[in-house]
Amino acid sequence: MDDKLVISVLDLNTYVSDRMYQDPFLEEVWVQGEVSGFDVKHDTAYFTLTDGQASVDCMIFEYGQSGFDEMEMEGSAVMLNGDISIYRKNGRFRIVVRALLPAGVGDMFLNFNKLKEQLEKQGVFAPERKKKIPGYPEKIGIVTSREGAALRDIINVAKRRNPLIALTLYPVRVQGISAPREIAAGIDYLNANTDADVIIVGRGGGSAEDLYAFNDERVVLAIFDSQIPVISAVGHETDFTLADLAADLRAPTPSAAAELAVPVMDDLILRFTELKRDIRRQMDNALVRSRAELIRYRAALSKESILQKMARYTADVRSLRAECRHGTDAVMQKRAVDLDKYIASMASMNPEEVFARGYSVILKNGKAVKSIRQLAAGDAIEVSLADGAAYAHIDKTEERGNGFGKGH
């Protein structure tokens, strides 16, 4: 090692930086690409410039006074001019922007808005179709990278809040070409093969390119079709993806997703204690009411009470019986009087009684004669009397005026 030159990392980064400053090609270089991850801190703008295949960090000092703040930066395609420099602490190079010109809206941003509009028309983001996150889950499915910080954050928060919670991981890539297919497959798998109460889908922060797998239509529709409620946890609080719009609940970070999904065990114990106390109180109240009713029923069924009721009911029966007998006698007396009247009336209408009083009936050809006009001289007649009949012929007829006697 004595014959070799050993330098520090800072010395290496300083040397590379100095060499870059000496390269005339890297002075005031013009680069075209799409802006993503735009952020401003302390009047310095930070963003990533990408062409879909590679990306580079950029920064603008005194952004508020640069005149660039009137542009819509995020998702825009730009041409920028600047100097290449290396941040000596981490060895990453960046472009310090001097000038920036708009080159239209970037393809990635256009595709994002086009897909967003299409899915909105299909009702994928409709609030009324979102499922309620269960209040007391027992099992949680996780779709994220096995190596990412997001998984560690979710596990740490979930186990701290409830050590008994069951976690099931479906490991996936969270960026790159195969990421959307793996994420969608993970959501489908947890639906088909587990009894998870809720699914957390997400990853840690990154550039817009890093998060773009969560804007893929396959991932969004897998979330939409999930029968298990889904919490999205993609990036940081300022990041937003189509997966967030489709999810039943959006969490600003993976840690926040675990907090939203997992209730604190101490809170559960307190809640169960309160429920137990309420149930016991209700049971005690019900027991007191039952005892009071039992006492009332027992008093109602006592020997003295039964004898009193029997005496009262016996008196009522006697009274009703007397009323019935009195009413029956009165009806019978009235019916007897009516019967006597009816018999007398019928007797007065008996023909034999009429004959007995000296009346007779004249018949001609077997029919009763009611008028002198029905008879003529020479007619044969039959006279019915009380004790027999007489047969005669009419010598002559004579009409009579009012009353008995001869007529004219």
Coordinates of all heavy atoms in Angstrom, one line a residue, residues 134 137-142 166-168 190-191 193-200 227-229:
P134 N -62.2 -1.3 7.8 CA -62.7 -1.9 9.1 C -62.0 -1.2 10.3 O -60.9 -0.9 10.3 CB -62.3 -3.3 8.9 CG -61.2 -3.4 7.9 CD -61.5 -2.2 7.0
P137 N -59.4 -4.4 12.5 CA -58.9 -5.5 11.6 C -58.0 -6.5 12.4 O -57.3 -6.1 13.4 CB -58.0 -4.8 10.6 CG -57.6 -3.5 11.3 CD -58.7 -3.2 12.2
E138 N -58.0 -7.7 12.0 CA -57.1 -8.7 12.6 C -55.9 -9.1 11.7 O -54.8 -9.4 12.2 CB -57.9 -10.0 12.9 CG -59.0 -9.8 13.9 CD -59.8 -11.1 14.2 OE1 -59.4 -12.1 13.6 OE2 -60.7 -11.0 15.0
K139 N -56.1 -9.0 10.3 CA -55.1 -9.3 9.4 C -55.0 -8.2 8.4 O -56.0 -7.7 7.8 CB -55.4 -10.7 8.7 CG -55.5 -11.8 9.7 CD -55.9 -13.1 9.0 CE -56.0 -14.3 10.0 NZ -56.4 -15.5 9.3
I140 N -53.7 -7.9 8.0 CA -53.4 -6.8 7.1 C -52.5 -7.4 6.0 O -51.5 -8.0 6.3 CB -52.8 -5.6 7.7 CG1 -53.8 -5.0 8.7 CG2 -52.4 -4.6 6.7 CD1 -53.3 -3.8 9.4
G141 N -52.9 -7.2 4.7 CA -52.1 -7.6 3.6 C -51.2 -6.4 3.2 O -51.7 -5.2 3.2
I142 N -50.0 -6.6 2.7 CA -49.1 -5.5 2.3 C -48.5 -5.8 1.0 O -48.0 -7.0 0.7 CB -47.9 -5.3 3.3 CG1 -48.5 -5.1 4.8 CG2 -47.0 -4.2 2.9 CD1 -47.4 -5.1 5.8
A166 N -51.8 -9.4 12.6 CA -51.2 -10.4 11.6 C -50.9 -9.6 10.3 O -51.8 -9.0 9.8 CB -52.0 -11.6 11.4
L167 N -49.6 -9.7 9.8 CA -49.2 -9.0 8.6 C -48.8 -10.0 7.6 O -48.1 -11.0 7.9 CB -48.1 -8.1 8.9 CG -48.3 -7.0 10.0 CD1 -47.0 -6.2 10.2 CD2 -49.5 -6.1 9.6
T168 N -49.3 -9.9 6.3 CA -49.0 -10.8 5.2 C -48.4 -9.9 4.1 O -49.1 -9.0 3.6 CB -50.2 -11.5 4.7 OG1 -50.8 -12.3 5.8 CG2 -49.8 -12.5 3.6
L190 N -53.8 -11.4 -2.8 CA -54.3 -11.3 -1.4 C -55.8 -11.4 -1.4 O -56.4 -11.9 -0.4 CB -53.9 -9.9 -0.9 CG -52.4 -9.8 -0.6 CD1 -52.0 -8.3 -0.2 CD2 -51.9 -10.8 0.4
N191 N -56.5 -11.0 -2.5 CA -57.9 -11.1 -2.5 C -58.4 -12.6 -2.7 O -59.3 -13.0 -2.0 CB -58.5 -10.3 -3.7 CG -58.8 -8.9 -3.3 OD1 -59.9 -8.6 -2.9 ND2 -57.9 -8.0 -3.5
N193 N -56.5 -15.4 -2.0 CA -55.8 -16.5 -1.2 C -55.7 -16.1 0.3 O -55.1 -16.9 1.0 CB -54.4 -16.8 -1.8 CG -54.5 -17.3 -3.2 OD1 -54.8 -18.5 -3.4 ND2 -54.2 -16.4 -4.1
T194 N -56.2 -15.0 0.7 CA -56.0 -14.6 2.1 C -57.4 -14.1 2.6 O -58.3 -13.8 1.9 CB -55.0 -13.6 2.4 OG1 -55.4 -12.3 1.9 CG2 -53.7 -13.9 1.7
D195 N -57.5 -14.0 3.9 CA -58.7 -13.4 4.6 C -58.3 -12.1 5.2 O -58.8 -11.8 6.3 CB -59.3 -14.4 5.6 CG -58.3 -14.8 6.6 OD1 -57.1 -14.5 6.5 OD2 -58.7 -15.5 7.6
A196 N -57.4 -11.4 4.5 CA -57.0 -10.0 5.1 C -58.2 -9.1 5.2 O -59.1 -9.2 4.4 CB -55.9 -9.4 4.2
D197 N -58.2 -8.3 6.2 CA -59.3 -7.3 6.4 C -59.1 -6.0 5.6 O -60.0 -5.3 5.3 CB -59.4 -7.0 7.9 CG -59.7 -8.2 8.7 OD1 -60.7 -8.9 8.4 OD2 -58.9 -8.6 9.6
V198 N -57.8 -5.7 5.3 CA -57.5 -4.5 4.6 C -56.1 -4.7 4.0 O -55.3 -5.5 4.4 CB -57.4 -3.3 5.6 CG1 -56.3 -3.4 6.6 CG2 -57.2 -2.0 4.8
I199 N -55.9 -4.1 2.8 CA -54.6 -4.2 2.1 C -53.9 -2.8 2.0 O -54.6 -1.8 1.7 CB -54.8 -4.7 0.7 CG1 -55.4 -6.1 0.7 CG2 -53.5 -4.7 -0.1 CD1 -55.8 -6.6 -0.7
I200 N -52.7 -2.7 2.3 CA -51.9 -1.5 2.2 C -51.0 -1.7 0.9 O -50.2 -2.6 0.9 CB -51.0 -1.2 3.4 CG1 -51.9 -1.0 4.6 CG2 -50.1 0.0 3.2 CD1 -51.1 -0.8 5.9
Q227 N -61.9 -6.7 -3.6 CA -63.1 -6.9 -2.7 C -62.6 -6.5 -1.2 O -63.5 -6.2 -0.4 CB -63.5 -8.3 -2.7 CG -64.1 -8.8 -4.0 CD -65.2 -7.9 -4.5 OE1 -66.2 -7.7 -3.8 NE2 -65.1 -7.4 -5.7
I228 N -61.3 -6.5 -1.0 CA -60.8 -6.1 0.3 C -60.5 -4.6 0.2 O -59.9 -4.1 -0.7 CB -59.5 -6.9 0.6 CG1 -59.8 -8.4 0.6 CG2 -59.0 -6.4 2.0 CD1 -58.6 -9.2 0.8
P229 N -60.9 -3.8 1.2 CA -60.6 -2.4 1.2 C -59.1 -2.1 1.1 O -58.2 -2.9 1.6 CB -61.1 -1.9 2.6 CG -62.1 -2.9 3.0 CD -61.6 -4.2 2.4

